[in-house]
Amino acid sequence: MRRFLSLLGVLSLAACFAAVPVHAGKPVDNDKDGYTTKDDCNDNDPLINPGATEVCDGVDNNCDGVIDEGCSPTSGRDVIVIATNDLGMHCACPGAETFLLLPPFNTLRAQVFERGDRDPVVLADPADIRVTYNIVEDTDDGLKADPYFQSWIANAPKIFPGYEPVRADGRIQGLTGATLDGDMEAHTSQGWWEAVGIPAYPVIDPNGVMTDPLGGSQKRNPYLTGDVKVYDQATGALLAETNTVVPVAFGGCCGCHLQVAADYGYPSDPRGSFDVMGMLHEQNGSGINIAQIDVDGDGIGGPIRCSWCHVDPAMGESSAPGVPGHPEYSTSKYTFSDVVHRFHAQSAAVQAYDPDIASDCYRCHPGNNVNCFRGHHTGKTIDGHPVWCTDCHGDLNQRVAEGQLLDPWSDRTLPTCSKCHSSTGEGDAKGYLNMGIFGQYLNSRGHRNDKILCSTCHGEPHALYPSTLPADNAQIEALQNDPRPIGVCDTCHTGKSSTWGKPPH
């Protein structure tokens, strides 16, 4: 399954000396003997028991509840790691009992560099190093107690037949099998590490900036922390650590659809909204009332996902799979991205709610006190107006007219840096494009034999350095004491310039 649109934090070898709490609800089989952390401390393992010496290996060796407490690095290797999310803001749905647009699905990437007398070496050999990740704020127990995530747990197996969101050992897992913490996969030939499909979810937080889209009182934090560590496989020593922002928020759909439900005389809640959408879907030419599709046989419509009938490349599918158990429902030749954007742009009824819907991206994409688009370009202007989503992507009318949404998320329809930045001279963005789904910027590499991901130096799409969110900039500032894209050569090249200059491509 492909990653969703869906790549930041603090780096220092001094992190080896930090005491890192064990996160509740995340038992780990530290010594790979088939027992989890709690059992390891009672099975006379020579490396993990109440009397063991704490070493920098990502394990609570002495069973005191704290990982790597007071440990010291022993390898002598000079290593840095830079991690990024693959999107400025992922979306997830508050519950899944009616319909689902996007599941909890987040992707982290990391590049590891070993500094030395010569140019740094890109490390991507799993026999040499191990790279781990952990979503700090999300825990298995916390998500199981979250009422919105409970809806996902209950309904996900109906929406994705064969998938179980909770493993037999109690761990929460994403659609790819990724858990809230674990080892990143090495892409050795490409030079990076990746964890795809992490089930990150906006965490309940009284100090959070995201309000409840269904009108509840709970606030949430959409800017989670991804802790990424690098270990020496030979010695187990912790070589480097960084933290990056893992963004996930609820979309803005409820802001309109609950009112639409009320205006049609239905309850102003998700079920009422679903019933109205089903009715309108039937009236608009499909002949199918989606709110009456009953996949679980309980006599109540839902849950469904739109990509059963409207193919969504972000789901990793090249064709719509159809409604499980209901071959009578035909699939559409149009992508989900096309039908949902085209309808909102062309419907007079929608425009009555928002005449500027074609360019009012935050009506649907996470606004709700959350900024999808918060990167460097937010401080720039084009033709006298601040840069907005439509300056890169076009508004909905343009995207429909140009057929962009018939092939969404592809290198053919996504904007390029060179649209505004020339390929030579100031603003050099010649790139070394490695195309593919979500291509153009995300999969592009440059610098030193095209081994460095653009996102490693410049940050994740929509949150490019310097971001308006301080947490986005923390990692890059720790590396070079400057929030701009990496431009201090000594960050990677030993003995080179320690002042910021225009990043070389």
Side-chain angles (χ1 to χ4, degrees):
M1 176 161 183
R2 300 251 188 187
R3 68 193 64 85
F4 286 83
L5 281 181
S6 96
L7 290 155
L8 289 177
V10 181
L11 165 73
S12 174
L13 286 178
C16 293
F17 299 93
V20 183
V22 175
H23 297 292
K26 296 184 178 180
V28 179
D29 181 12
N30 292 308
D31 60 353
K32 312 299 182 185
D33 65 352
Y35 294 92
T36 60
T37 306
K38 181 179 178 180
D39 299 313
D40 280 334
C41 289
N42 295 288
D43 70 357
N44 298 316
D45 189 301
L47 299 177
I48 306 171
N49 61 67
T53 300
E54 195 73 37
V55 294
C56 295
D57 59 355
V59 172
D60 178 20
N61 302 98
N62 61 10
C63 302
D64 67 351
V66 183
I67 295 174
D68 292 346
E69 182 179 21
C71 71
S72 300
T74 59
S75 71
R77 301 175 68 175
D78 188 0
V79 174
I80 65 171
V81 57
I82 304 174
T84 50
N85 195 262
D86 67 338
L87 188 65
M89 184 59 67
H90 280 263
C91 293
C93 291
E97 62 273 9
T98 54
F99 73 99
L100 180 86
L101 296 181
L102 292 172
F105 196 109
N106 220 293
T107 293
L108 278 175
R109 283 181 171 180
Q111 287 201 286
V112 184
F113 307 95
E114 184 159 19
R115 291 157 44 95
D117 295 334
R118 299 185 178 182
D119 289 336
V121 177
V122 178
L123 303 181
D125 181 0
D128 177 35
I129 60 172
R130 178 170 64 102
V131 182
T132 68
Y133 71 91
N134 173 41
I135 309 304
V136 175
E137 293 84 0
D138 275 341
T139 65
D140 295 318
D141 290 344
L143 290 184
K144 290 176 186 177
D146 185 322
Y148 288 162
F149 200 86
Q150 287 174 354
S151 175
W152 165 252
I153 292 173
N155 292 287
K158 306 172 187 177
I159 301 171
F160 297 93
Y163 162 65
E164 291 294 338
V166 181
R167 300 190 324 193
D169 63 0
R171 300 293 310 279
I172 299 292
Q173 64 176 347
L175 289 168
T176 62
T179 51
L180 295 170
D181 63 284
D183 290 348
M184 301 184 81
E185 179 185 359
H187 292 260
T188 304
S189 62
Q190 296 166 307
W192 69 67
W193 300 75
E194 194 171 49
V196 178
I198 304 168
Y201 204 69
V203 67
I204 297 172
D205 181 350
N207 298 315
V209 298
M210 191 176 77
T211 56
D212 191 326
L214 299 180
S217 60
Q218 287 182 332
K219 292 185 177 181
R220 291 177 181 262
N221 175 15
Y223 306 115
L224 308 180
T225 306
D227 184 45
V228 176
K229 296 180 179 180
V230 181
Y231 296 95
D232 189 307
Q233 288 282 37
T235 65
L238 177 65
L239 300 177
E241 180 178 4
T242 191
N243 290 323
T244 184
V245 170
V246 178
V248 57
F250 300 142
C253 308
C254 295
C256 280
H257 281 257
L258 297 186
Q259 182 60 50
V260 171
D263 290 346
Y264 275 88
Y266 287 77
S268 182
D269 58 21
R271 176 60 59 178
S273 174
F274 186 46
D275 287 339
V276 170
M277 283 193 294
M279 175 191 68
L280 295 176
H281 191 278
E282 183 177 27
Q283 292 178 358
N284 287 332
S286 71
I288 301 173
N289 186 326
I290 57 175
Q292 295 177 359
I293 297 177
D294 182 15
V295 297
D296 55 4
D298 64 357
I300 302 175
I304 68 167
R305 64 177 169 105
C306 305
S307 58
W308 279 341
C309 296
H310 299 283
V311 62
D312 187 351
M315 290 285 186
E317 296 162 340
S318 58
S319 61
V323 180
H326 291 274
E328 70 274 18
Y329 295 121
S330 60
T331 59
S332 172
K333 65 179 181 179
Y334 298 105
T335 69
F336 172 66
S337 185
D338 179 71
V339 294
V340 71
H341 288 99
R342 179 155 42 89
F343 173 77
H344 282 78
Q346 297 177 352
S347 168
V350 172
Q351 291 174 11
Y353 286 90
D354 184 356
D356 299 320
I357 190 65
S359 58
D360 198 356
C361 306
Y362 277 176
R363 274 290 191 175
C364 302
H365 295 273
N368 197 18
N369 300 323
V370 177
N371 292 318
C372 287
F373 170 44
R374 59 185 186 275
H376 167 65
H377 292 102
T378 57
K380 303 297 182 180
T381 60
I382 294 180
D383 298 329
H385 69 269
V387 172
W388 180 236
C389 312
T390 55
D391 290 305
C392 293
H393 295 277
D395 67 17
L396 293 187
N397 293 318
Q398 177 185 344
R399 301 194 74 193
V400 169
E402 294 178 356
Q404 294 182 34
L405 302 170
L406 298 172
D407 186 20
W409 320 132
S410 76
D411 52 21
R412 184 184 72 81
T413 58
L414 289 173
T416 62
C417 301
S418 57
K419 178 178 180 179
C420 295
H421 299 276
S422 63
S423 59
T424 59
E426 185 65 28
D428 179 10
K430 58 188 177 184
Y432 291 90
L433 299 183
N434 181 32
M435 303 296 193
I437 189 170
F438 315 133
Q440 301 293 21
Y441 173 76
L442 181 62
N443 292 323
S444 298
R445 292 173 287 176
H447 198 53
R448 310 306 297 183
N449 302 315
D450 305 348
K451 291 183 178 180
I452 314 303
L453 287 164
C454 298
S455 54
T456 293
C457 293
H458 290 270
E460 64 195 55
H462 305 121
L464 301 175
Y465 303 132
S467 167
T468 59
L469 180 71
D472 284 333
N473 301 325
Q475 172 179 237
I476 206 73
E477 289 180 323
L479 285 167
Q480 62 172 14
N481 198 33
D482 194 297
R484 291 174 289 183
I486 290 181
V488 176
C489 298
D490 189 61
T491 301
C492 299
H493 299 267
T494 304
K496 300 296 184 180
S497 171
S498 59
T499 58
W500 192 90
K502 177 186 172 183
H505 289 98

